[in-house]
Amino acid sequence: MLPNYVPILILGAVALGFSVFTLVLSHLLGRPRPTAAKSEVYECGMPPIGTARERFPIKFYLVCMIFILFDVDAAFFYPWALVFRELGVFGFVEMLVFVGLLGSGFVYAWKVGALDW
Amino acid sequence: MTLDAILFYVFAAAALGSALVVVGQRHPTYSAFALIVTLCSLSAVFGLLGSPFIAVLQVVVYAGAIMVLFLFVLMLLRVTREERPAGGGWALKATAIGLGAVLAAQVGSVLATVARGPGAPGFNASTVSVARLLFSPAYLYVFEATSILILAALVGAVALAKRDL
Amino acid sequence: MTPVQQELLIATGKVLVFVGVFLGLFSGMTYVERRLLAFMQFRLGPNRVGPFGLLQPVADGIKLFFKEEVMPEGANKWAFMAAPALAIVTAFLAIAVVPYGPTVHLFNRDIPLQIADLDVGVLFLFAISSLGVYGIVMAGWAANNKYTLLGGLRSSAQMFSYELSLGMSWVGAIILAGSFRISDIVASQAGWFIPNWNFFRQAPGFLVYLVAATAEVNRTPFDLPEAETELVAGFHTEYSSMRFALLQMAEYVNMMTVAAVGTSLFFGGWLAPVPGLQHVFGRDIGLLWFLLKMGAGLFFFIWLRGTVPRFRYDQLMNFGWKVLLPLATLNILGTAAWIAFSK
Amino acid sequence: MSGSADLVTPALLLSLGLFAIGVVGVFLRRNVITVFMCVELMLNAVNLAFVAFSRWRGTLDGQVLVFFVLTVAAAEAAVGLAIIIAAQRNKDTLDLDAFNLLKW
């Protein structure tokens, strides 16, 4: 009996092989002939200004951070949902406390404006 | 060797190799990419050790969330290569590696005295059994304490970043 | 051949068939989408290559293969080249855990129409979809272009914001089925479609899934990352040739996966809506049912694109965090309360 | 995934190796974020040890602990990176040697 993760490895290998094959084939067929103007960074025809390695708004970072913390929350939801029928009311109250605490953090972030754009 | 063992060594080698890249690389962004590879290989190793649940969780939380944050911060701060040679002079470097080796030897000696014998036969942690244990009364307080930890982290991080809003 | 070799052969064959089918669906989808959109806008769409323009995807493919690859100045070469491959690999990995039909009997063996029936099924999907962000972040960052960087950033922020709601929208269905296996979730919806489908039992969950999934695959009205009016083409501005095609392909494969997963989790998967219609002339036509439902889902995406205007980015983020996430959480708690107190 | 092959000892060795690499990285690297990533590496080595022990003993507590370690890691990453950003705004550098004061 084959372990059940093997088909996924095969799938990954096939997908990788497919993409590498396609990229190489198109590289061979397309024959890149770069010129200075062609390989210039595209900024709607204008000469590029500065570099794209720019700073960007802290908003993105803040949202990502909140995402991480709620991702853990979601990760706890999954096993809980799996055994919920066994846990019954006990499990419900347990999770209610958990979500309540996290929810207060969510409300704080909301009130402070961390979720506004 | 069984298929499990072969794959284990393949992914272990990938994890070690990419971990070396994480440490050896001067450019933090490439370090981050290498660390993603390490984390995914480790996830495969977890799966091969019979804990599919932890394996998937590793990808969800570590590779899928924490590393995205790292990449974001690296982009946000416009990080470049470390300009100075790593760790100062060779004496310092040697000390660092020596200290690392000592620490590793310590941990290793502890592991060597503890871990003996093969794994429990036929061990395969089904997700249900892990979930059952996680939500058993034994871990009730830990579980609720976790939410306080997340709450504290949330408030702390928002408060730290807030002044830039 | 030893049994293990046989199984390996079958698994490989199955993988190749599924990948092939998805690639075929992808090229079909590009044609159908352009035609349908054109009809919705009183145009004709591509109709020159072959009868009714049916060979358009082939022509597109050949053209893209012969296009020149452009490597923008100052780009991080390896990251730039790896990004499309990464996107396509993560897109394809997600198709593995969906059951597309009943077990078929072929070569004297029972072959389930599913690549891998994992114990962690749904969670695996969650993991893969969270890895999907990297392809886009890398593509946007590597090209050294402001538009791509902004597009990549926007896209990734959007993806993980909605990914959270996406992941939570399934939890209600997991509670009802008591399993992560998608095949079990499908089985839990057997019987008459009202009220057994999760579409009815998990209506808020489905709503969350619908919105979050549309955002997750960057389709209109959530296609902010490639908003051509402001960002040229977002994260794939600098891509050309097959690299561009791979990114596009990843997007379509993701869309099809989303439709397939939605079918399985909320519309009873390959089960017939009415028990009597499962077998026609003694044969199980589950695969047909699945394709029908999935096709309806894909049509919905196209319809949406022809109908709804694009969101503004602040609206999008506010909606994801302040409406969708609380709704998903409430749905989970509500389902749990219903189960816990109705016993 | 039956446990016919004994992978516990190799797994512990791998864990040790990753931990050592992480330690050396913390000593050698200058960039705060890279150092932070090395700490994550060490955390992962510990996770691996947990999983290996869980397999060796045939109990699941190790895996539940990994769950909590993941949570801690997430919280740590969120707060740690927030601190790094705040510090970088004040010092305009990510070099560890610049952060040698408790207060600025």
Side-chain angles (χ1 to χ4, degrees), chain D residues 5-28:
Chain D
D6 174 26
L7 294 176
V8 174
T9 314
L12 285 172
L13 284 176
L14 173 64
S15 156
L16 176 63
L18 289 176
F19 192 83
I21 292 175
V23 171
V24 171
V26 169
F27 281 137
L28 282 185

Side-chain angles (χ1 to χ4, degrees), chain B residues 27 29-30 33 36 40 52-53 56-57 59-68 71-72 75 125-128, chain C residues 76-77 79 119-120 123-128 130-131 133-134 137-138 141 149 152-153 156-157 160 163 178 180:
Chain B
H27 198 302
T29 310
Y30 290 127
F33 284 136
I36 295 168
C40 291
F53 193 31
V56 180
L57 216 61
V59 176
V60 170
V61 176
Y62 252 118
I66 296 181
M67 287 319 292
V68 179
L71 277 181
F72 262 44
M75 291 184 194
S126 72
T127 44
V128 178
Chain C
N76 295 55
K77 285 202 177 51
D119 191 24
V120 287
L123 203 55
F124 178 80
L125 273 179
F126 192 29
I128 294 301
S130 66
L131 284 185
V133 179
Y134 287 118
V137 171
M138 258 170 103
W141 172 78
L149 183 70
L153 274 177
S156 44
F160 58 63
E163 184 187 299
F180 284 164

